[in-house]
Amino acid sequence: MSDVLTARQRSLCMSRIRGGNTKPELTLRKALWACGLRYRLKSRLPGTPDIVLPSRKAIVFVDGCFWHACPTHLTLPRTNSQFWRDKLRKNVERDRRVDRELAILGWRVIRVWEHDIRRDVRRTAVRVCKRLDSGEKGREQRKSRAR
Ligand SMILES: [Zn+2]
């Protein structure tokens, strides 16, 4: 894997934010906390989730635009593009597999794009909270139990 390409991709991805060195995960966590959601970190669940909400039996992933192949922002590096295409496709396949595994374990999975957090973290957090409250599903198919 080429560090040069990775660095270039990262700079492309980061170019929209200036002077911010906070990670999207971190800003989302803070915003969720402000909404009153209590989360847990460091989980051994499939996919090593970013944010685990045990009381809601829900998991939030923050998907980076490059590594998770965001349909809006992904630009493949011009060099080694086949390598990157394969790599990113595998990443996406792994995401789907993780979603299924978590669903089988009874977790609700909500995936949030990095670009949504960068654009408006507060709105993104509110959307996540609403989804949790409404019992709306993430990408998995299970019906959540009525409370
Ligand atoms: Zn994106």
Side-chain angles (χ1 to χ4, degrees), residues 13 16 63-66 69-74 113-116 119:
C13 238
R16 296 188 49 188
D63 288 347
C65 289
F66 180 69
C70 163
T72 317
H73 299 115
L74 175 65
W113 284 111
E114 170 193 4
H115 65 242
D116 283 329
R119 199 180 293 144

